Amino acid sequence: MFNLTGKRALITGASRGVGFGVAKTFAAAGAEVVATGRNQERLQNLAREIEAAGGKIKIVPGDLSTREGTRELARHCGEIDILVNNAAHLTATRQSILVQDDTAWDMEFAVNLTAPVTLMQALVPGMVERGGGVVINISTIAVRQTNPMDSAYAASKSGLEAATRAAALDLGQHGVRVNAIALGMTATEIWDDMPIQGMTMEGLAKQMVPIGRATAVSEVAALCLFLASDAAPAINGSIITLDGGMTAGAFRPGGGYRREAKQKEPAAS
């Protein structure tokens, strides 16, 4: 049921984090992986790992910051049955929407919204001709719980979710399913050099995530595999939240999700 043998899957942002994990999982399930990303050394490491395990992978160059670069990537890929739009851009220096730098704003929209839509436009017609396919867009809970100084990131990902729903309506009758996964705190390399207020990812997760930890990359990859497989034929146009419960209720600073120890009953007087 979770067998992807005979399928070709393009995964953007595959040189690290979620994309790296999804590529390995898809290859283990039998798919031929087409991987693109900014770090060629990491992509080569990915290729070695997949090939050592008996899987198939093709590395393709790509520049998702422009429409032409994105279209060129699609031309290099050939026929694709599964598209995972995972690559994302988040400006390192966060800014208020009142002073948002034009270049930073344009880059986030180019990579986070325009590139995924452009890849769908380029690759989905082939899926339709072959009788079906799957698109998985990686989004974020920041669409619903936006952080201060993250207007471009939240707005671009909000657009991606809207495009996901619209594409699902347009393409479902043609056998192409389109869904998105909204990620919360996920245990990727991005946290290694980015402590917030002196706290590690583990410390933040204990305070912010009801299950007390960040989502593992393997858990994201497993959900992607499910959505890409024949096990999910009726899931279309969904935004599936994978955040350990972060958006289930209001944020409670300092934790408060752990169950308190039972209070002793007062002694009878």
Side-chain angles (χ1 to χ4, degrees):
M1 185 174 289
F2 298 108
N3 193 331
L4 300 182
T5 299
K7 304 294 185 182
R8 296 186 80 241
L10 169 61
I11 301 162
T12 67
S15 60
R16 62 186 297 179
V18 168
F20 196 99
V22 171
K24 290 176 62 177
T25 296
F26 278 19
E32 178 185 351
V33 169
V34 180
T36 188
R38 289 179 293 181
N39 190 311
Q40 291 301 306
E41 182 178 354
R42 288 175 180 266
L43 286 174
Q44 292 297 333
N45 290 339
L46 172 65
R48 282 190 286 270
E49 289 191 33
I50 287 177
E51 291 170 349
K56 297 180 180 179
I57 181 172
K58 175 183 178 181
I59 296 174
V60 293
D63 177 10
L64 299 179
S65 66
T66 68
R67 282 190 174 89
E68 184 51 42
T70 304
R71 291 180 181 126
E72 183 66 19
L73 166 63
R75 286 191 286 269
H76 280 296
C77 289
E79 294 183 350
I80 294 296
D81 305 296
I82 303 164
L83 168 61
V84 181
N85 283 311
N86 167 69
H89 182 83
L90 175 61
T91 303
T93 304
R94 298 177 178 180
Q95 299 171 325
S96 163
I97 193 170
L98 300 179
V99 295
Q100 179 76 54
D101 176 76
D102 290 350
T103 301
W105 179 276
D106 291 346
M107 178 62 75
E108 294 202 27
F109 270 81
V111 176
N112 300 344
L113 177 56
T114 303
V117 171
T118 301
L119 285 175
M120 284 193 282
Q121 292 170 334
L123 298 174
V124 166
M127 297 181 188
V128 173
E129 289 178 4
R130 294 186 297 277
V134 176
V135 178
I136 302 170
N137 295 321
I138 303 300
S139 187
T140 171
I141 63 170
V143 170
R144 282 161 290 284
Q145 290 188 344
T146 307
N147 298 312
M149 310 296 181
D150 271 355
S151 57
Y153 185 67
S156 60
K157 288 293 190 178
S158 180
L160 180 62
E161 291 191 5
T164 296
R165 290 187 288 268
L169 295 175
D170 292 342
L171 302 172
Q173 63 184 316
H174 300 293
V176 178
R177 295 185 290 108
V178 186
N179 295 289
I181 302 173
L183 298 180
M185 188 178 295
T186 306
T188 65
E189 299 94 327
I190 193 173
W191 292 95
D192 292 347
D193 301 314
M194 194 177 70
I196 297 178
Q197 295 179 347
M199 296 187 67
T200 63
M201 178 193 68
E202 289 79 6
L204 283 169
K206 287 179 180 178
Q207 288 195 6
M208 297 175 64
V209 186
I211 63 172
R213 63 171 177 82
T215 302
V217 167
S218 60
E219 293 170 318
V220 183
L223 179 53
C224 287
L225 176 59
F226 169 66
L227 291 174
S229 75
D230 292 337
I235 301 179
N236 185 45
S238 294
I239 312 298
I240 301 174
T241 301
L242 187 61
D243 69 351
M246 291 179 71
T247 53
F251 171 61
R252 299 176 68 178
Y257 296 111
R258 307 284 79 74
R259 182 175 297 171
E260 300 293 339
K262 290 183 177 180
Q263 297 292 324
K264 291 183 179 179
E265 294 293 331
S269 57

